[in-house]
Amino acid sequence: MDITVTVNGKTHDRLDDEDGPGESLLFLLRERLGLIGPKNACEQGECGSCAVWLDGVLVNSCLVLSAQADGCSVRTVEGLASDTAGPLETSGASRVPGTSGALHPVQQAFLDTGAVQCGFCTPGMVVTATDLLERLPRPSDAEVRREMAGNLCRCTGYQQIVEAVLLAAERMAGPASPEVGRP
Amino acid sequence: MTAQGIGTSPARTDGPAKVSGTFVYSSDLSAEDMVWAATLRSPHPSALIRSIDTTAALKFPGVLDVITHADIPGRKLFGQMKVDQPVLAEDRVRHHGEAVAVVAAVDLETARAAAGLVHVDYDVRPPVTDAATALDAASDPVHPDGNLVAHTRIRRGAAQSGELPAADVVVRGSYSLGMQDQAFLGTESGLAVPTGDGGVELHIATQWLHVDQEQVALCLGLPPDKVVLKHAGVGGAFGAREDLSLHVHACLLALRLNRPVKMVYTRTESFFGHVHRHPAELHYEHGATSDGRLLYVRADIVLDGGAYASSSPAIAGNAATHAVGPYAVPHVQVDARAVYTNNPPCGAMRGFGTVQPCFAYESQMDRLAAALGMHPVEFRQRNALREGASLPTGQVLDSPAPVAELLERLRGLPLPAADPAQPAHVARGVGYAACLKNIGFSEGFDDYSTARVRLEVVDGALLATVSSAAAEVGQGVVGIQRQIVATELGVHRIEVRQEDSRFGTAGPSSASRQTYVTGGAVREACRRVRADVLALLHESGAELPSPSWQLHEGAVVDDAGRPVARLAALLGGRVIERTAEFHHRKTFPLDPETGQGNSSMQFGFAAHRAVVEVDRELGLVKVIDLAIAQDVGRAINPEAVAGQLRGGTVQGVGLALLEEIELDGGRVLNPSFAGYLLPTMADVPPVRVEILERADPHAPYGLRGIGELPSISATPAVAAAVRAATGIDLDRVPIRPDHLLAGLPDPAQQ
Amino acid sequence: MQVLRPQSWHEALAARSELPGATPVAGGTDVMVAMKLRHFRPEVLLDLSRVSGSERYRIGPDSVHCGPRVCHTTVAERLHRQLPGLALAAGSVGSRQVRNRGTIGGNLGTASPAGDLHPMLLAAGADVELSSVRGSRWVPADGFYRDGGGTVLGADELITAVRVPLAAGPQRFQKIGRRQGLVKSLCSFALTLDRGQRRIRAAVGAYGAAPVRLLAAEQLIEESRVLYGAGTLPAALVAEFGRLAATATTPVEEGAEAGYRRRALAVLAARNLTQAWAMFLAEGHDGHHRDGQRQDP
């Protein structure tokens, strides 16, 4: 069967999955398209390391049959940085290694709060955090912990990750009055 | 303070790649013409192997090669401390999941499918699964020389002459801990590439390249220079990358096929692919005077080492030397044994043999405090180690030991406000615990690191390059090296090179030692570079510089901080490069009969406070507040220190409430993240961090190793809080919900 | 392995009829795990993710008609006013990522004992539409699960719709597990009160081989006629409700685990009855109140 999928804006035509029909979207992204951002840590939807957007919906790519992604648009952690408009000098954001792009505010916040140690959970955390902030721009500490409970980290004890999400929220939304953003 | 120097928290240089998903972990590697390999593992905890038939697997389309024990060209066994573990099982399997054969194929699915076609004829034997009875004469031997791996004795004070003194208050208790897994997120993985000259290069996520390289070369039967190990990106370690996993398998297949071979374990396989934390049974007796002074401790500790020795000898040593905890006790009698069973092999995990006794001695401390009518903190403080005090080994603490102060800090922190809406079935409890841990390798091991620092002018600007083979496992040792160079050489442009096994060893990223030892080597190399710079200054006609002059902001500065010469101008086209080895203070073996000796170069100290809420009817625990106080000597990177303290604390919470590899007759029941439960973000509150910096005069910058301490006392602090909330005398972790319903009326049975 | 990708129910049912051995897959949250971890290797996968309209729902005067691919997130966030109990159950599933993929039909179809929706579908009185090329039939949730596990879904049938009655009174759902996040259920309990009919329905999941209604416990309350009054529930009645709930069925495990689940079920039943009754009595409460979203720690 042939699969056509658009990943981070680039369309990949007629990817042949004859070798492994039944393979996951994670496998397709990593092994066929060479995108190493989505990570394989459990392959059963219990860790969130492989989180991506499938047609704008946050999913664990290990639980998506690659055939189900046919004709879909996928956005991975690699597609985040280009979202940020504006020159580097004014945004204060770090550069994406090997490119001229600037990091997304969520990525930058992860650096600024020391939320990264081994970093294996980080791509999934960044994607999940960005998804959360798109739905809930000013979450509380407890809301971050509840909404991101599907992403495991073994190094950090989570606190600096939560701080990163809250910092990114503040930077993206601007300081909010207590009423704003609380449904 | 130098910008980006020690004491600051510069952002990680691998951070941008890690947050953008471009950082290359060992599982992300690929090479032209690469093939994949997969492992066949034993379904039995104990069985004799009558035969292994690879015919069907070899015939499977896409399969390129299959290896078994018969194909190992060199030493067929490995092991860092005791060479007892087969590279691939030969005549018997000793644990569930033991590697038996490895299949190489054109892709991973094919390799996995074909591994299932290797036929192994097993003669299943009854497994030895109970560590407590494994030493009985009636027990089957797991290895020919019996089931005792190691036995460390401590006899101090009256225990040396036999009798422990009589005490006013005596508390006895028995405790046990389940088997914890390191559960790093990046599973075992690596890429072996043949070099074309009969040698092989292995790109691997490891904690110590050099010890791996030595073992791989021996097992491959190759001269050491034919085997090069290179660091690949590491997705967490926590002790689980100290032993070999796929190393020899991948290299051997690469050599046989003359093609690059990649291996990546699945999560399930990872549970079988590395050693775990030893489950333990601990029997304790404490004697104290009526005014609350500890008089004696008697402890008998049995650690289940599983099927192979791994680090069990050193872990038994640590369990014994740390059996009393951070308290001064005149009379001590400890026996710590590690035994073989047919359970999964156990070895290094963060805390390394000190986590198990800490749960026991801290439980005892609470029971003693209760028996004496004292506050648990006050009782601990009364007996706390201080600088100048003696350990059970007789070693005298010759640097600060602020145990009482750590506890005081915690006690002074505000408690979370009571929730007036809380239903009656929810009870709150507060628990404290403290610990100590040796830093670096002990008992006489010369535990050193090598670093090279190069200073030059490139493109008109100063550049310092620091090289070492230190394993970056996420803890931030790359950044630590950079900070030390910034402080010592006053240079802003710094490159850190992670060298391969051909460079001098850095020793492992374990035992909380890497910042201390590699940091020490980098500092020493920098100081030699500085001496060369000063010599150059003198040669260039300046008056004899004082050796105390420093390099700061691109200049040589005198003792008053005045610039004497610009470094770039002074260097011109010259390159200064110096290499240094750093050996920490000498340590000594323990006396085999009494366990006396100066066995450790440094100790770290930490304490925790935990606050929990327990649903008394459902036995469910929620941790609502956590705090850690730790003496770090000197915080080289305060933000990284906080990250270590919080991460370690949460691992300790996991052991207290959730994490256990469940076994049934030696068989692992839950080798997945659906069955083995790690704390999620929703399971833990923010962790308050109280950092003390009481410099150790013997250590570089006064720093103390920090990595392991946070995961040690967190577990007993949570257990103490649950006891306080429920009044139930818990003697095992992880605590299960049904443990907390003991003695309560059963609403299903009224 | 072959993947069939029907675009319509017509095509899907035809494929199902021709290849009864094919494994239907919707969100993939169960099937993919089985393939990865349990070496499940179906010869044919019947991917239902392209069947048009199967992800939609329609709110009617008495019930919500859900396509089988309505995902947990949709139930939790868009249907919480109409179906407060089911919304709680759907919101308790795994993580955000899993709730975005997992579907109501998939939960029913795999009938995994740990499935979170089952007890609420029973307590809410949902009906399941099973279709084949032979035609369609509606099966009440009560008759959908087989006692020893599994379902009555025929080899040529697919779940084509789920109809859930609008809440007619307070609804409670509670699931307990060892963790606070990514909770794998140790026991889940669902309860609905029908204000007009003065009826109670209660069910348990993640307990025995199949989710079941707790009929004896329901009967106790209905026969006591407390639902016709407006006072406090007698403590003895609540306790007996819990006890009867816990004796209705047998946990799958034995030993300490089974003992724990029994006790937990008794506690959950008693607690949720008390809370539902408080909601029932609450002034102006109409069963759609957001208090239905509250969860105990």
Side-chain angles (χ1 to χ4, degrees):
Chain A
M1 181 195 303
D2 286 347
I3 293 173
T4 296
V5 60
T6 301
V7 182
N8 301 327
K10 191 178 167 203
T11 300
H12 302 267
D13 273 328
R14 297 195 300 278
L15 293 162
D16 174 11
D17 78 338
E18 282 303 313
D19 293 337
E23 268 308 343
S24 64
L25 174 61
L26 174 63
F27 183 87
L28 181 140
L29 293 171
R30 285 181 57 81
E31 305 302 337
R32 296 194 190 281
L33 302 181
L35 285 171
I36 60 173
K39 290 280 172 270
N40 180 349
C42 81
E43 281 190 295
Q44 63 173 144
E46 291 281 344
C47 78
S49 307
C50 64
V52 302
W53 286 276
L54 179 66
D55 282 342
V57 176
L58 183 76
V59 301
N60 287 326
S61 58
C62 71
L63 294 188
V64 177
L65 188 66
S66 63
Q68 292 185 321
D70 183 29
C72 295
S73 168
V74 176
R75 187 171 166 226
T76 72
V77 68
E78 286 97 336
L80 264 186
S82 53
D83 286 355
T84 307
L88 276 176
E89 306 80 67
T90 54
S91 70
S94 303
R95 222 172 261 280
V96 180
T99 77
S100 58
L103 295 178
H104 185 280
V106 170
Q107 293 173 316
Q108 184 64 43
F110 269 65
L111 296 186
D112 294 343
T113 62
V116 178
Q117 288 187 31
C118 93
F120 207 83
C121 72
T122 305
M125 287 283 183
V126 165
V127 166
T128 304
T130 306
D131 184 78
L132 168 62
L133 296 182
E134 284 170 2
R135 288 183 287 110
L136 191 61
R138 295 307 302 268
S140 67
D141 186 291
E143 283 166 335
V144 172
R145 287 177 188 272
R146 194 180 64 220
E147 286 288 325
M148 293 184 62
N151 291 67
L152 297 177
C153 169
R154 190 55 159 167
C155 296
T156 64
Y158 299 112
Q159 182 169 338
Q160 282 152 270
I161 293 174
V162 176
E163 286 167 6
V165 181
L166 298 177
L167 177 64
E170 194 179 310
R171 287 176 176 170
M172 289 163 74
S177 62
E179 291 77 24
V180 174
R182 286 280 181 282
Chain B
M1 192 180 289
T2 309
Q4 311 283 301
I6 66 167
T8 69
S9 299
R12 298 180 69 101
T13 50
D14 59 9
K18 284 179 172 176
V19 298
S20 347
T22 55
F23 185 83
V24 180
Y25 293 87
S26 51
S27 51
D28 300 324
L29 296 167
S30 63
E32 194 74 21
D33 207 26
M34 176 177 94
V35 302
W36 290 80
T39 312
L40 175 74
R41 296 176 180 279
S42 166
H44 309 293
S46 176
L48 300 177
I49 295 176
R50 293 199 193 95
S51 64
I52 304 174
D53 183 354
T54 61
T55 320
L58 278 165
K59 280 188 189 152
F60 194 73
V63 168
L64 302 167
D65 198 5
V66 181
I67 52 170
T68 69
H69 69 91
D71 302 305
I72 309 296
R75 199 178 67 185
K76 289 176 189 283
L77 302 174
F78 70 94
Q80 273 193 59
M81 298 185 184
K82 198 167 171 178
V83 182
D84 67 348
Q85 189 160 1
V87 175
L88 290 169
E90 189 170 353
D91 56 343
R92 64 186 302 167
V93 288
R94 294 185 178 85
H95 70 91
H96 181 203
E98 181 160 359
V100 179
V102 187
V103 178
V106 291
D107 61 49
L108 181 57
E109 275 303 298
T110 305
R112 283 184 186 152
L117 299 177
V118 174
H119 181 74
V120 186
D121 185 7
Y122 291 109
D123 174 11
V124 177
R125 315 299 296 185
V128 176
T129 58
D130 179 22
T133 55
L135 293 177
D136 294 354
S139 179
D140 288 333
V142 177
H143 290 266
D145 49 352
N147 291 339
L148 182 66
V149 184
H151 180 182
T152 300
R153 296 173 189 81
I154 307 280
R155 299 288 184 272
R156 176 125 189 107
Q160 289 183 358
S161 52
E163 283 296 291
L164 290 168
D168 302 329
V169 176
V170 173
V171 167
R172 295 185 188 86
S174 293
Y175 304 91
S176 60
L177 301 91
M179 184 183 285
Q180 190 180 21
D181 188 65
Q182 298 85 350
F184 47 39
L185 283 196
T187 59
E188 290 82 351
S189 50
L191 176 70
V193 183
T195 53
D197 60 353
V200 64
E201 217 175 70
L202 177 65
H203 302 255
I204 187 88
T206 179
Q207 292 177 243
W208 190 1
L209 279 185
H210 289 74
V211 74
D212 287 1
Q213 188 266 352
E214 193 181 306
Q215 297 200 78
V216 171
L218 282 168
C219 296
L220 292 173
L222 287 176
D225 63 338
K226 290 282 191 223
V227 179
V228 176
L229 264 68
K230 297 191 164 185
H231 282 297
V234 181
F238 316 116
R241 299 190 207 271
E242 291 191 20
D243 298 86
L244 296 188
S245 57
L246 52 82
H247 304 52
V248 181
H249 308 158
C251 288
L252 180 55
L253 285 164
L255 287 164
R256 286 162 62 102
L257 294 168
N258 199 29
R259 289 174 77 172
V261 173
K262 180 165 174 180
M263 294 186 76
V264 181
Y265 286 178
T266 63
R267 174 57 53 190
T268 294
E269 198 173 10
S270 180
F271 275 99
F272 297 113
H274 60 251
V275 298
H276 313 289
R277 191 191 298 292
H278 290 67
E281 299 215 2
L282 309 98
H283 305 280
Y284 267 73
E285 181 181 316
H286 278 69
T289 62
S290 54
D291 64 345
R293 302 247 167 227
L294 286 172
L295 195 56
Y296 72 84
V297 174
R298 191 200 318 263
D300 186 29
I301 299 169
V302 177
L303 301 154
D304 183 349
Y308 297 103
S310 183
S311 306
S312 281
I315 284 167
N318 261 10
T321 55
H322 294 73
V324 166
Y327 308 107
V329 184
H331 311 288
V332 178
Q333 176 178 328
V334 180
D335 289 271
R337 295 175 181 83
V339 303
Y340 284 128
T341 65
N342 292 114
N343 291 323
C346 290
M349 182 175 172
R350 198 176 197 172
F352 202 78
T354 71
V355 164
Q356 297 90 339
C358 185
F359 171 59
Y361 64 68
E362 286 300 84
S363 300
Q364 288 281 99
M365 293 300 281
D366 283 338
R367 294 177 67 185
L368 282 157
L372 289 156
M374 292 176 72
H375 189 279
V377 168
E378 193 191 326
F379 175 64
R380 284 176 170 83
Q381 287 175 324
R382 186 165 296 183
N383 291 285
L385 287 173
R386 287 170 179 76
E387 185 168 359
S390 295
L391 296 167
T393 54
Q395 182 165 358
V396 175
L397 291 171
D398 58 1
S399 71
V403 179
E405 192 180 347
L406 292 170
L407 287 160
E408 198 58 42
R409 285 277 189 113
L410 293 175
R411 198 181 185 180
L413 292 175
L415 284 163
D419 179 0
Q422 199 66 267
H425 57 256
V426 175
R428 184 176 283 194
V430 182
Y432 293 87
C435 65
L436 83 165
K437 167 80 182 51
N438 56 345
I439 308 302
F441 284 11
S442 293
E443 300 184 36
F445 196 94
D446 179 19
D447 177 19
Y448 70 99
S449 179
T450 317
R452 184 174 66 208
V453 173
R454 176 185 169 102
L455 185 63
E456 63 199 307
V457 177
V458 174
D459 299 332
L462 285 167
L463 170 69
T465 307
V466 54
S467 302
S468 80
E472 171 61 64
V473 297
Q475 84 279 41
V477 71
V478 166
I480 295 292
Q481 294 174 74
R482 178 184 299 273
Q483 287 180 265
I484 290 173
V485 173
T487 292
E488 295 295 328
L489 299 183
V491 174
H492 292 293
R493 231 173 112 207
I494 302 165
E495 283 179 10
V496 180
R497 291 175 51 98
Q498 212 178 14
E499 299 290 343
D500 63 36
S501 60
R502 290 169 292 195
F503 194 83
T505 182
S509 289
S510 64
S512 308
R513 63 174 284 289
Q514 200 61 284
T515 293
Y516 189 124
V517 186
T518 291
V522 172
R523 185 179 70 162
E524 181 56 30
C526 285
R527 291 185 176 178
R528 290 180 189 175
V529 167
R530 187 185 68 195
D532 286 358
V533 167
L534 296 181
L536 194 59
L537 182 61
H538 186 47
E539 277 168 31
S540 71
E543 58 174 299
L544 189 66
S546 159
S548 59
W549 288 7
Q550 303 291 317
L551 307 184
H552 186 66
E553 293 294 325
V556 180
V557 299
D558 66 13
D559 293 338
R562 285 183 303 257
V564 177
R566 298 303 303 171
L567 212 40
L570 185 61
L571 280 173
R574 291 188 190 80
V575 174
I576 297 179
E577 183 177 283
R578 295 297 298 259
T579 299
E581 274 181 9
F582 179 86
H583 298 253
H584 64 64
R585 291 207 281 169
K586 200 166 159 47
T587 65
F588 300 89
L590 299 172
D591 180 282
E593 295 307 315
T594 63
Q596 300 297 293
N598 289 342
S599 63
S600 295
M601 61 125 166
Q602 189 189 52
F603 288 88
F605 303 92
H608 281 89
R609 187 188 75 184
V611 185
V612 303
E613 285 180 351
V614 183
D615 184 321
R616 292 292 282 122
E617 295 170 353
L618 291 170
L620 299 175
V621 179
K622 184 169 189 191
V623 181
I624 62 164
D625 194 79
L626 282 170
I628 174 172
Q630 184 169 332
D631 175 18
V632 305
R634 175 79 191 271
I636 304 293
N637 179 326
E639 188 177 81
V641 166
Q644 286 293 311
L645 268 50
R646 292 181 173 127
T649 297
V650 170
Q651 290 186 358
V653 171
L655 176 59
L657 298 174
L658 298 170
E659 296 182 35
E660 180 171 8
I661 292 183
E662 292 168 24
L663 298 171
D664 180 17
R667 220 175 287 268
V668 177
L669 300 178
N670 57 339
S672 78
F673 278 172
Y676 185 90
L677 302 181
L678 297 175
T680 73
M681 218 180 262
D683 288 285
V684 284
V687 181
R688 298 174 211 245
V689 167
E690 293 284 312
I691 292 174
L692 261 64
E693 295 183 85
R694 302 281 178 270
D696 176 353
H698 311 288
Y701 305 114
L703 72 84
R704 278 178 206 282
I706 61 158
E708 293 167 283
L709 271 300
S711 60
I712 302 168
S713 45
T715 306
V718 170
V722 176
R723 284 191 201 103
T726 61
I728 294 175
D729 209 7
L730 301 160
D731 57 8
R732 185 180 197 279
V733 287
I735 299 162
R736 298 185 67 97
D738 55 283
H739 295 165
L740 298 178
L741 302 182
L744 296 177
D746 181 351
Q749 302 277 340
Q750 282 153 15
Chain C
M1 189 187 297
Q2 192 189 354
V3 183
L4 302 177
R5 301 192 292 178
Q7 310 284 317
S8 66
W9 282 124
H10 181 76
E11 285 175 33
L13 295 174
R16 178 75 163 156
S17 171
E18 280 164 35
L19 292 163
T23 299
V25 53
T29 55
D30 281 322
V31 173
M32 291 297 282
V33 174
M35 283 169 44
K36 283 290 164 199
L37 266 76
R38 296 193 285 278
H39 310 289
F40 174 57
R41 290 281 177 278
E43 281 184 20
V44 185
L45 283 173
L46 184 57
D47 171 21
L48 301 175
S49 68
R50 274 153 222 282
V51 173
S52 68
S54 61
E55 76 290 1
R56 299 208 191 111
Y57 61 85
R58 196 175 64 244
I59 301 169
D62 307 314
S63 64
V64 180
H65 182 100
C66 294
R69 281 182 53 247
V70 167
C71 73
H72 301 310
T73 301
T74 299
V75 175
E77 295 181 359
R78 305 228 186 112
L79 294 173
H80 58 84
R81 293 193 177 278
Q82 294 77 21
L83 311 175
L86 198 64
L88 286 171
S92 80
V93 172
S95 60
R96 163 71 52 177
Q97 292 93 316
V98 172
R99 291 193 294 277
N100 284 348
R101 284 298 285 175
T103 65
I104 187 169
N107 217 252
L108 280 160
T110 60
S112 154
D116 292 312
L117 301 189
H118 308 313
M120 200 65 227
L121 290 168
L122 287 167
D127 295 300
V128 187
E129 185 190 50
L130 308 180
S131 303
S132 70
V133 291
R134 297 173 287 125
S136 291
R137 58 180 176 140
W138 283 95
V139 176
D142 280 321
F144 179 74
Y145 305 101
R146 287 187 191 281
D147 285 350
T151 73
V152 300
L153 185 74
D156 64 343
E157 285 179 317
L158 291 169
I159 296 166
T160 44
V162 182
R163 189 169 59 204
V164 190
L166 299 180
Q171 300 196 332
R172 295 279 313 171
F173 171 83
Q174 198 176 357
K175 159 183 165 182
I176 57 165
R178 293 182 66 183
R179 282 195 297 205
Q180 311 286 326
L182 277 177
V183 182
K184 186 181 164 201
S185 191
L186 284 172
C187 180
S188 61
F189 175 84
L191 183 151
T192 61
L193 296 182
D194 185 323
R195 184 173 295 280
Q197 306 287 322
R198 307 275 154 175
R199 298 293 299 271
I200 179 173
R201 288 170 73 100
V204 62
Y207 191 82
V212 291
R213 284 275 297 282
L214 304 168
L215 296 170
E218 290 176 7
Q219 196 183 351
L220 172 80
I221 300 302
E222 290 187 356
E223 286 177 357
S224 76
R225 304 193 59 80
V226 287
L227 298 180
Y228 289 87
T232 314
L233 291 183
L237 184 74
V238 173
E240 181 64 3
F241 178 76
R243 198 189 64 75
L244 283 176
T247 48
T249 180
T250 313
V252 274
E253 289 88 355
E254 292 171 354
E257 188 91 347
Y260 174 77
R261 286 196 187 202
R262 243 183 239 111
R263 295 173 71 147
L265 176 52
V267 171
L268 288 181
R271 250 185 220 180
N272 283 282
L273 174 64
T274 305
Q275 281 152 347
W277 184 244
M279 291 159 71
F280 193 87
L281 296 180
E283 190 79 295
H285 193 281
D286 60 3
H288 300 171
H289 199 281
R290 277 185 63 87
D291 279 358
Q293 300 280 347
R294 269 205 61 172
Q295 281 290 282
D296 279 334

